Amino acid sequence: GGGGGGGIVLHRTIPDGFKIKTASVTKKCDGYYLVLSLEDKTIPETKADLNPSSIIGIDVGLKEFLTTSEGETIKTPQYYRKAQKRLKVIQKRVSRRKKGGKNRLKAIKQLGIQHKKVADKRKDFHFKTAKYLLSKYDVIAHEKLNVKGLNKTRLAKSVLDAGWSSFLTILSSKALNAGLLTIPVSARNTSQNCSSCGKKVPKKLHIRWHDCPHCGCSLDSPKATLRERDHNAAINIKNRAEGQSVLKAQRLLRDTRIGWEAYTDLTGSL
């Protein structure tokens, strides 16, 4: 926990049976924080009744926070940009204050507090979104993201605002604790390849619709499914995850378990 009043604020107690693995101290605008990494060996790697067929692919984006392979979208709360006006005011206040002066230090602290408010809201949104997805699906597939590379582009502010890396870390952690699976897959051409026929359909970033000339998966064809490019990408992500060895192993375990249960039921009735 953090605290600027000299005392220690405990965010929550350490549950029984948990072992402290690592500890790190960070300084924030409102005090020092001790972050503990805990281990509970009683939690299985995957739950016994995990259903490999309960799988969804998600594509994180800027227009929408994410789009699923089922076509569902979750909007991005633009916390950073909504607070940008307030941040600019405080930033100007900092630059106008005399270096080393008390007023400048006060303004710097205000700026830090404003940034922290935005970060806390974003984190809360990430936790709620992860909880929502994991309540519906046992397996969630997502792209392996090169966030460091994206942070060097003109999209850096939008990437920061969405907090993709933070969200995927939270999603993976919550899935692990629940005995569920997250599967990262290659991001290569997930938006470009057609999820119906697999052929490459090149499109620039501003082209938001998937329109395949090879199989007719387009806006104009009445027999085809209308697919926004992020929806198309999410389906490709799901399809790639379904070919992963970890999911094949889970299917084998599930089929073996079902077969054994059927066998024991049969022998028990004889």
Side-chain angles (χ1 to χ4, degrees):
I8 297 175
V9 179
L10 189 64
H11 180 59
R12 59 178 177 268
T13 58
I14 298 174
D16 292 336
F18 281 72
K19 180 182 178 182
I20 298 175
K21 292 187 68 178
T22 62
S24 61
V25 178
T26 57
K27 183 181 179 182
K28 296 187 178 181
C29 59
D30 58 348
Y32 289 88
Y33 285 75
L34 174 64
V35 181
L36 303 177
S37 173
L38 307 177
E39 179 184 26
D40 181 10
K41 293 185 177 180
T42 64
I43 298 176
E45 289 189 13
T46 56
K47 64 177 186 174
D49 60 344
L50 183 138
N51 181 7
S53 298
S54 176
I55 180 174
I56 197 78
I58 61 171
D59 180 62
V60 292
L62 299 177
K63 183 173 179 285
E64 310 289 354
F65 178 67
L66 65 81
T67 302
T68 75
S69 52
E70 297 294 324
E72 182 181 4
T73 59
I74 296 177
K75 294 187 179 298
T76 303
Q78 300 288 343
Y79 298 128
Y80 184 78
R81 292 189 177 181
K82 284 180 180 178
Q84 193 175 21
K85 188 175 181 180
R86 173 65 177 160
L87 290 171
K88 281 184 177 180
V89 170
I90 301 175
Q91 185 64 59
K92 285 181 180 179
R93 193 178 297 161
V94 170
S95 61
R96 288 171 184 165
R97 298 293 186 263
K98 184 179 178 181
K99 289 186 178 181
K102 289 184 179 180
N103 288 336
R104 183 182 175 89
L105 292 175
K106 185 178 179 181
I108 290 173
K109 186 174 181 179
Q110 287 178 338
L111 185 64
I113 290 171
Q114 185 68 14
H115 275 296
K116 186 176 182 298
K117 284 181 179 178
V118 174
D120 288 345
K121 287 181 179 180
R122 187 190 300 119
K123 187 176 181 180
D124 180 64
F125 167 69
H126 288 167
F127 269 103
K128 287 177 178 175
T129 303
K131 183 179 179 181
Y132 168 71
L133 291 172
L134 293 169
S135 70
K136 294 182 69 177
Y137 307 101
D138 285 5
V139 184
I140 299 176
H142 62 84
E143 289 181 337
K144 295 177 184 175
L145 295 177
N146 179 17
V147 177
K148 287 184 178 179
L150 287 168
N151 281 339
K152 296 177 182 177
T153 70
R154 61 186 177 84
L155 298 175
K157 186 181 289 184
S158 296
V159 171
L160 172 64
D161 197 11
W164 295 338
S165 180
S166 171
F167 168 69
L168 293 177
T169 299
I170 289 169
L171 179 67
S172 298
S173 177
K174 289 188 73 67
L176 181 65
N177 290 339
L180 304 176
L181 279 177
T182 55
I183 302 178
V185 301
S186 170
R188 185 177 177 82
N189 291 330
T190 53
S191 293
Q192 306 297 331
N193 292 349
C194 178
S195 56
S196 288
C197 68
K199 296 286 183 66
K200 190 171 183 178
V201 184
K203 50 183 90 69
K204 294 182 179 179
L205 188 61
H206 71 276
I207 304 297
R208 301 311 305 166
W209 293 101
H210 173 68
D211 190 356
C212 181
H214 305 289
C215 70
C217 181
S218 68
L219 302 181
D220 301 323
S221 174
K223 65 180 180 180
T225 303
L226 177 67
R227 285 180 184 163
E228 204 267 347
R229 68 177 285 157
D230 292 344
H231 182 198
N232 178 70
I235 295 171
N236 280 326
I237 291 166
K238 176 187 174 183
N239 291 342
R240 288 183 184 183
E242 287 183 324
Q244 295 281 326
S245 58
V246 64
L247 201 57
K248 289 179 179 178
Q250 287 296 329
R251 286 199 182 96
L252 181 62
L253 284 171
R254 182 171 180 267
D255 292 345
T256 302
R257 184 171 63 251
I258 291 172
W260 174 252
E261 288 172 354
Y263 170 76
T264 53
D265 286 345
L266 181 62
T267 55
S269 63
L270 294 177

